[in-house]
Amino acid sequence: MAASPRGKRRAVPWVLLALWIGVLALAGPFAGRLGDVQHNKAVDYLPASADSTQVAKLQDKLPGGESTDLVLVYHRDGGLTAADRTAAARQVASVDARFDLVETPRGIPSASGDTLMYPVASTGPGTDEKARDTFVDGVRDLAHDTGGGLGVDVGGPGALATDAGEVYQSLDGPLLYTTVAVVALLLILIYRSPFLWLVPLAVAGVADFLSMGVAYGLNQAFGTTISGQSQGVMTILVFGAGTDYALLIVSRYREELRRVERPHDAMRAALRGCGPAVLASSGTVAAGLLCLLAADLNSSRGMGPLGAVGVLCALAAMLTLLPAVLVLLGRRVFWPLIPAFGSVPRQRRSLFSAMGASAGRRPLAVLGAGAVLLGALALGVLNLPGSLKQEDSFTDKPDSVTAMQTLAAAYPDHSAQPISVLAPARDADRALDAARATPGVAEVRTGRSGGGWTEIAVTADAAPQSAAETATIEALRDRLDGQGAYVGGPSAEQLDLKDTNARDRLVVVPIVLAAVLLILVALLRSLVAPLLLLVAVVAVWGASLGIAGLVLEPLFGFAGTDPGLGLLSFVFLVALGVDYGIFLMHRMREEVLGGQDTRAAALTALRTTGGVIASAGLVLAATFAVLTNMPLVQLVELGFVIAVGVLLDTFLVRTYLVTSASVLLGRRVWWPGPLAAEPAAPVPPPTGEPVLTLK
C-alpha cells in the first residue's frame, strides 16, 4: 500500500535530520584540520606582487632559507653595570652555542648606557612556523632575568610573529564560547522560553562545524588563505547571520501556528512567506563578500570565500535543519507562551508603530535631521589615528612589544630591525653603493648569497615604522629601481600592506556596490529603492568610521588603525545593512501589491517587521562586539565599527530615514517599475443608468 501524503509529510523532518547527520559525519575529519592550515605570518597577508613578498620568497632560496630575526634587550634603570654586561654576554654565548646562528651576535650599547642590544638571526626554522616558535621560546629560556634589577626581553620580527601566532591560535576557543554565550543570552531574552533558544543555537553550532569542514576543503582545492582573522570572522557570521535567519523563520512559524493546525503545514506556510526574503538577503551578503576576491591582499581575498561559506552554511542549516527540528518538537517548544491554533495574539502598540508614526507625520524634518546627524558623525573620520604599527597590534603588551618599546626609547637614532634588500648577485656591488648613498641609511652589510641573489642588510637611522624610516625605504626603492633588486623586511611589509589596502579600496568598493545594486534591482524591480538602500548603508559606514575616529584613540588608547579596516568594514556593513533593507522593502512592496499606497505600506512594513529586524540587529551587533574582547587591535577595531554600524542601521536608518524617504517619494520609490504608476481611477457609469451593488 502506498504511503499517504500525510505520512510522507511526517517523514520529511526525519529524512532531513538523517541527511544532516550524514553531512556532519563527512565534514568532521576536515573540520578538525582547519587549524593546521591557518597561517598568520605578515607575508601571508601581502599580495604576491609586493616587493616585501618577493624578498621573503627569495630568502627561502638562499643558503639556510628564510631567517628568523630577534633582538635580545638588556636594560637597567640608572645604567648597566660591568656584572650586567658579563651576564648578558654569557647568556648570548649560550644562545650562540645552542642554535645555528647566521653570525655571532655582537652587543650594541645605547648612548645612555642603560640598554644593551644583541641582534640574533637564525635560518634554522626557515618558513616552518612551529620551528620558529620553538627557536624563539628556546632563546627566551636562555635569556632569562638574572634578578637584581637587570631586565631581559626578546623582541624583533621573529618574536613579534611568535606572539601574534600564539594570540591567533588562542582565539578559537574564547571566540566561540563568548559568541555562543552572547547569542544564548539574547535568544533567551527575545523568546522568553527556557527551551526554544536552544534550537537555533544548536543549529548555528552545526552550521559552524560544517563551515569549518568546507573551509578546509577550499584550502586544499584552491589554496584559499586561512588566517586567524578570517576564521574568527567566519564563526561570527555563522552565529550572527544564522541567528538572524532563525529569528525571521521562528517568528513567522509562530504566526502560522495560530492559523494552521498541524506544525508541518504551519512550517511550510512560514517558509513560503519568509523563505524568499531570507534567500535574497543571504545571497546579497554572500555576493558582497565574494567581491573580496578582487582584492590583491591575500588576507582580504581569503576572507571573502570564508565569509561566504559561513553565510551559506548558516542559510542551509536554518532553511532545512531548523524547520525539521521545530516540527519534530511541535508546539511545546514555545512553552510557556505556546501559540494555540485559532488564538489571536494580544494587540498592543509597539515601539516601531510609534516610530513609524513620527516619521510619517514629518518625513522631511526626520530625513533632514538624520542626514545631518550621520554627516556630522562621519567627520570623525578625520580624527582616525595613522596606520597601526606591528608592535601596537596587541591589546596587552607581550615580551616582544616591551622589548621594542625599550629599544625605541634607548636607540632613537637606530633601527632595531634591518631592512632586507635582495639584489641579483651580478649587481650586488652596485646595489651596495646605492644603499650606502641613500639618505637615512646608518649601516649597510652584505649577507648570504645563493641562487643568483645576494642579501644586503640595511639599518636605518630612525625608529622602526616611523615616518623617517618609511622615507628611507621609499628612497631605497627609488635608487634601486631598474636594478632588479627588491626591498623588504618587517617595516617594508607594513608599508606594502598600507599601499595594497589603498589599491583594494579603489577596486573592490565599486564592485561591491555594483553587485549589490544588481541584486536589489532584480529583487525589488525598481531602481530608486535600491539606490536609496545603498546610499543609506554607505552613510552608515561613514558614520561608523567617524565614531571610531572619535573613540579608538581617546577611549581605547589605540595608537593606529589597521590599514584594512576601511575596506573590510565597508564590505560587511554594506552587505549586512542591505540584508535588513531587503526585509523592510520587500514587505513594503508586498503591501503595495496588496492595494496600500506607499505611505501606508511603509508604515505597515515598519510595524510588522521592525521588531524582528531589531532583534536580528541586536544579535548581529552583539556577535561582532565579541571581537572587541579579543587581544588583537585589528579584531577589536573591526568588531567595534561593524557593531556600531549595525546598531545605527537598525535603530536609525531603517526605522526613520528609509521610512521617511519612502513616504516622501511615494510611488516614485518604485520607479521605473510598474508600481511607480498611479492606479487607474474607476470609470463612472453612464448618466441615467442604475448602479448595481451587491448586498
Side-chain angles (χ1 to χ4, degrees), residues 550-568:
L550 298 175
V551 303
L552 287 183
E553 189 171 12
L555 184 61
F556 289 90
F558 295 157
T561 54
D562 179 45
L565 178 63
L567 176 62
L568 293 180

Side-chain angles (χ1 to χ4, degrees), residues 139-415:
V139 172
R140 283 174 168 166
D141 290 340
L142 294 174
H144 57 275
D145 289 349
T146 59
L150 176 63
V152 184
D153 294 303
V154 178
L160 284 168
T162 292
D163 290 338
E166 289 179 358
V167 169
Y168 274 116
Q169 291 171 7
S170 68
L171 287 180
D172 296 345
L175 181 63
L176 178 62
Y177 304 147
T178 307
T179 302
V180 169
V182 168
V183 172
L185 178 61
L186 288 174
L187 287 177
I188 291 172
L189 295 175
I190 292 169
Y191 287 140
R192 291 172 292 169
S193 167
F195 306 114
L196 181 58
W197 64 275
L198 284 168
V199 179
L201 190 64
V203 173
V206 169
D208 184 51
F209 189 76
L210 174 62
S211 68
M212 293 171 64
V214 176
Y216 178 81
L218 283 178
N219 172 267
Q220 296 300 297
F222 303 104
T224 306
T225 302
I226 309 290
S227 67
Q229 185 183 48
S230 60
Q231 185 177 342
V233 169
M234 182 180 72
T235 296
I236 291 292
L237 281 172
V238 169
F239 280 91
T243 304
D244 283 0
Y245 304 148
L247 286 168
L248 291 168
I249 294 170
V250 172
S251 175
R252 189 63 177 261
Y253 177 52
R254 186 200 298 264
E255 183 181 336
E256 296 296 338
L257 282 173
R258 298 182 186 277
R259 295 197 291 260
V260 181
E261 183 176 4
R262 295 187 179 90
H264 184 279
D265 296 331
M267 181 58 74
R268 289 182 62 190
L271 292 177
R272 280 198 302 267
C274 68
V278 172
L279 282 170
S281 62
S282 61
T284 304
V285 176
L289 291 172
L290 286 176
C291 291
L292 283 171
L293 287 171
D296 198 23
L297 199 66
N298 287 334
S299 57
S300 297
R301 193 166 60 248
M303 186 175 291
L306 254 67
V309 163
V311 170
L312 295 178
C313 286
L315 172 70
M318 294 306 169
L319 284 182
T320 57
L321 181 59
L322 176 69
V325 174
L326 288 175
V327 169
L328 290 174
L329 292 175
R331 297 176 186 270
R332 58 185 177 273
V333 73
F334 290 94
W335 186 88
L337 304 175
I338 299 176
F341 172 59
S343 64
V344 178
R346 185 176 60 180
Q347 298 295 325
R348 56 184 180 184
R349 184 173 175 80
S350 68
L351 170 65
F352 293 96
S353 297
M355 296 172 79
S358 64
R361 283 194 301 270
R362 297 180 178 178
L364 185 60
V366 170
L367 185 61
V372 170
L373 175 60
L374 290 177
L377 291 174
L379 292 176
V381 171
L382 302 175
N383 196 48
L384 280 171
S387 295
L388 189 69
K389 295 182 180 179
Q390 194 176 14
E391 62 263 27
D392 293 329
S393 59
F394 304 92
T395 55
D396 296 320
K397 286 197 304 184
D399 185 34
S400 57
V401 172
T402 303
M404 302 306 286
Q405 291 176 341
T406 302
L407 289 172
Y411 302 86
D413 299 326
H414 193 289
S415 178

